[in-house]
Amino acid sequence: METIGNIKKEFEAAEMAMLPSLIEKYNNDNRKGVLKIINTAEKRIENYRKELLRIEEMKIYENKYSEYEYICGIDEVGRGPFAGPVCACAVILPKNTDILYVNDSKKLSEKMRDKLYDEICSKALAIGIGLVDNKTIDEINILQATYEAMRQAISNLKIKPDLLLNDAVTIPEVDIKQVPIIKGDAKSISIACASIVAKVTRDRLMIEYDKKYPGYGFASNKGYGTKEHIEALKKLGKTAIHRESFIDSII
């Protein structure tokens, strides 16, 4: 008889598609340890099915506009920080793509975002990034800088999209049909993917800035106005990546 330890390893190593046959294989083993392993596997299958349904719901807009060949999701991060650029991302996915656990980037852990970033990059037909620096933000304001980052992201795609699914906004000076979706990063798989790639891209950039400008906590606060960041501004002053229009009242 197989040991419980080996059975556990067998289940843990199994792909989702193999779990039902493993459950059937050990279904007559009444040892408590084996019953617990089977129960865990059944929960894993149930959670997987629920996730498939959730992801299918996130394709509602992609399905609604399925007559368009290249549907592009667009989102941005970094409108609120005191330092660093605003970053936008445009993502075109193949039709009917499943990327499980995709969601609004703010609802995901850093570890999960990094994992999904790699999967999105490997599956996407095209990804475009737009970055607008702090000096431009000060010159034209954060809203206009956000629009500019989005336009850059679209222009940096290797495929021209036929339709844009945007998180909440309509982007000026763009001649492609746009569909603004309130809270789109939680309702559209394309926008959610753009949200994740934008977030990871900007976070990694701010981690690099932390090495260049130590003392402000950029690696952890990503430029947002945390207590640590504000205290550093008062003590050390501004850096070359700070948005002066955001910190005037502090320094």
Side-chain angles (χ1 to χ4, degrees):
M1 182 178 289
E2 193 67 75
T3 66
I4 292 174
N6 284 340
I7 294 172
K8 184 177 181 181
K9 289 178 182 178
E10 191 175 0
F11 271 84
E12 288 175 344
E15 297 290 335
M16 189 62 63
M18 293 297 297
L19 288 180
S21 61
L22 277 179
I23 290 171
E24 184 177 354
K25 178 180 176 182
Y26 293 105
N27 214 25
N28 294 323
D29 192 325
N30 292 319
R31 288 177 290 174
K32 286 184 179 180
V34 176
L35 292 174
K36 184 178 179 181
I37 292 167
I38 289 174
N39 184 54
T40 299
E42 288 173 340
K43 287 180 180 178
R44 185 178 162 194
I45 291 169
E46 180 61 23
N47 289 337
Y48 177 74
R49 288 171 178 165
K50 287 179 180 178
E51 180 60 16
L52 284 175
L53 289 173
R54 189 190 68 84
I55 288 296
E56 201 58 38
E57 289 175 2
M58 287 189 72
K59 298 177 187 177
I60 184 170
Y61 290 96
E62 285 78 3
N63 292 334
K64 180 178 179 179
Y65 297 98
S66 61
E67 71 271 21
Y68 293 88
E69 185 174 3
Y70 297 119
I71 297 174
C72 176
I74 300 177
D75 201 5
E76 53 72 31
V77 296
R79 289 181 68 169
F82 290 176
V86 61
C87 177
C89 179
V91 173
I92 301 175
L93 297 173
K95 289 186 181 295
N96 301 313
T97 299
D98 285 328
I99 302 178
L100 300 187
Y101 310 108
V102 158
N103 208 331
D104 172 3
S105 63
K106 297 184 290 297
K107 296 179 180 179
L108 301 169
S109 68
E110 182 178 357
K111 182 179 180 180
M112 180 59 79
R113 286 195 300 266
D114 285 340
K115 180 181 178 182
L116 288 169
Y117 174 92
D118 291 339
E119 186 173 356
I120 294 162
C121 289
S122 69
K123 289 184 175 179
L125 295 176
I127 294 176
I129 297 292
L131 289 165
V132 174
D133 65 20
N134 57 299
K135 294 186 183 301
T136 305
I137 291 169
D138 287 334
E139 289 171 7
I140 65 176
N141 77 48
I142 186 59
L143 178 60
Q144 296 306 318
T146 300
Y147 290 149
E148 176 57 25
M150 290 177 166
R151 287 190 290 264
Q152 286 182 18
I154 296 166
S155 67
N156 286 331
L157 290 164
K158 66 180 182 181
I159 298 171
K160 184 175 180 179
D162 303 309
L163 178 75
L164 306 178
L165 301 180
N166 307 340
D167 186 26
V169 302
T170 299
I171 309 163
E173 301 170 36
V174 171
D175 62 355
I176 302 168
K177 179 178 174 61
Q178 302 182 56
V179 179
I181 303 168
I182 303 299
K183 296 184 179 178
D185 46 11
K187 297 177 181 177
S188 159
I189 188 172
S190 300
I191 297 176
C193 286
S195 171
I196 291 165
V197 174
K199 173 69 173 165
V200 172
T201 299
R202 188 181 186 280
D203 282 0
R204 291 178 179 178
L205 183 60
M206 293 308 296
I207 290 169
E208 291 303 308
Y209 277 135
D210 186 66
K211 299 173 186 175
K212 188 173 182 180
Y213 304 107
Y216 296 87
F218 290 149
S220 58
N221 62 46
K222 307 304 188 289
Y224 284 88
T226 61
K227 182 180 178 181
E228 174 192 21
H229 190 175
I230 292 170
E231 288 176 354
L233 273 169
K234 292 176 178 178
K235 181 181 178 180
L236 304 173
K238 65 185 181 182
T239 70
I241 65 165
H242 274 101
R243 305 172 184 179
E244 293 189 10
S245 57
F246 281 52
I247 62 171
D248 280 345
S249 62
I250 297 172
I251 60 171

